[in-house]
Amino acid sequence: MRSEHTLPPGPRGVPILGMLPAIRRDPVGVFTKSAARFGDVVYFKIASRRGYLLNDPDDIRHVLQDNARNYHKSPLYDKLRLVLGDGLLTSEDGFWLRQRRIAQPAFHRQRIAALAGTMADAAREAAARWQAPASTGQPVDVDEEMMQLTRTVVLRTLLGSDLGPFTSTIDSAWAVVNQYIGEAFWSLGIADNLPTPKYRRFIAARAVLRGAVDYVISERRRSPAEKADLLSMLMHAHDEETGETMTDQQLSVEVMTFLLAGQETTSLALTWTWYLLSQNPAPRAQFERELDVVLHGRPPEYSDLADLPYLRMVVDEAMRLYPPAWGFSRQALSDDTLSGFRLPRGWLAFVIPYALHRHPRYWQNPESFDPDRFSPERSAERPKFVYLPFGAGPRRCIGDQFALIETHLTLATFAQSYRLQLVPGHKVDPWPLITLRPRFGMPMIIERRQRVSANAGS
Ligand code: HEM
């Protein structure tokens, strides 16, 4: 047994700021290299904060699930609270639990399946717009295109299509808000609230987003016709034990949360998948063949997804290599013990899917794109807590089924007609802000694709 004052090994960093400068420069590199060099529990000092990077699935299960009551989201989430207020992503304890219980039923797979038609329609409309670039060979920024599409989907499935006076301003406001929180994430928070032009732009954009959400909620209250969207489900949702529903103000905070948590993450899952397919012709051929054999050229629907197992494996593998939520963290409420080391109260626990998903103990040839890793047989060999694109435990992503149905339908719809090639020579650089973005966008050339004939697959 180690003395309770022994610290786990870890990188030293610089005086006072510790590892902050290095983490700001290259967070995923620092965490991935530290996992390889120092082992299962790695000590980090980041400015005034201290904590451990966890690489052992048992410790991760302990923090995220078995002893989750001893942890809150870390202070890094305060930035999100600034935009979102106290919603599901940012609140804690009894308040969080009450909200989660009310919202949970609306996110069950069967309920989300009712929204799949809206998702598929949006994907078909967006795919139709690629006919022109497919004819001219003009590259499109797939990152930008997927952002547009997932924004459309989350707006239509959450709020319906009528945003009244906010229709023309919501898109640019949204982009400003996303940019602001992304960039503020690793800052020390000192200058965050100074009235700089950037901050003022952010406040104005946040007001537009809130305005749009409140507008739709109040319109619904005025003419409460039953609609088949998520807002309608949430307005009628109640805690199954207590019967409680959400107030309009709480509804507004949660809808903002879903808009922001559900758009960029899903978009990035799609963008990274297109990138990986473009770099890996053999898995791409298998993926296209499955689509052709199952769909015979007709547009995919929700009911087809169960017959497209390789599509599911492609997305799982893409989120292994490029998890949109590349890292998250917790703060201990009281002392805990992890792999024999004492984690004192107030210290942080870092869970970094980007590093964990490349850990050579659990993943052979971790850098290679191999969707078959996610076959049921090969998945059965792996501990559950080494693959965490949606987190785990009680705070696991509530929108996981929403995101999976949307990414599967979108990929199947576009790949029916097109094949995407990265513009030659373009530098792809993962850029870990809150989410893992491609730093220089993802310019790709859209080619029309010949389908393999149906009998070729039999
Ligand atoms: C590929 C897409 C997505 C990824 C990778 C993703 C990832 C995550 C992760 C890792 C967490 C847990 C964070 C933590 O434990 O600190 C989370 C939480 C959350 N996600 Fe997602 N998410 C995605 C899509 C969505 C969608 C579509 C929605 C809603 C429409 C959504 C809403 C939320 C909410 C509300 C939480 C907080 C849940 C709670 O604490 O009770 N996410 N997400």
Side-chain angles (χ1 to χ4, degrees), residues 23 81 86 89 129 176 331 338 357 382 400 452 458:
I23 287 186
R81 200 165 292 121
D86 263 324
L89 200 58
R129 287 195 293 274
V176 171
Q331 185 166 34
L338 297 164
H357 292 178
R382 234 177 352 251
D400 55 353
V452 294
S458 51

Side-chain angles (χ1 to χ4, degrees), residues 73 77 88-89 96 100 261-262 265 330 389-391 395 397 402-403:
K73 299 261 172 126
Y77 282 81
L88 270 179
L89 200 58
W96 163 79
R100 177 95 190 198
T265 42
R330 296 289 187 269
F390 294 109
R395 305 301 300 252
C397 179
F402 184 112

Side-chain angles (χ1 to χ4, degrees), residues 12-21 45-48:
R12 292 176 62 94
V14 297
I16 302 173
L17 291 180
M19 288 300 287
L20 182 70
K45 169 174 159 39
I46 305 172
S48 60

Side-chain angles (χ1 to χ4, degrees), residues 104 136-137 279 294 345:
Q104 186 73 60
T136 59
Q279 303 302 297
V294 172
R345 178 177 158 226

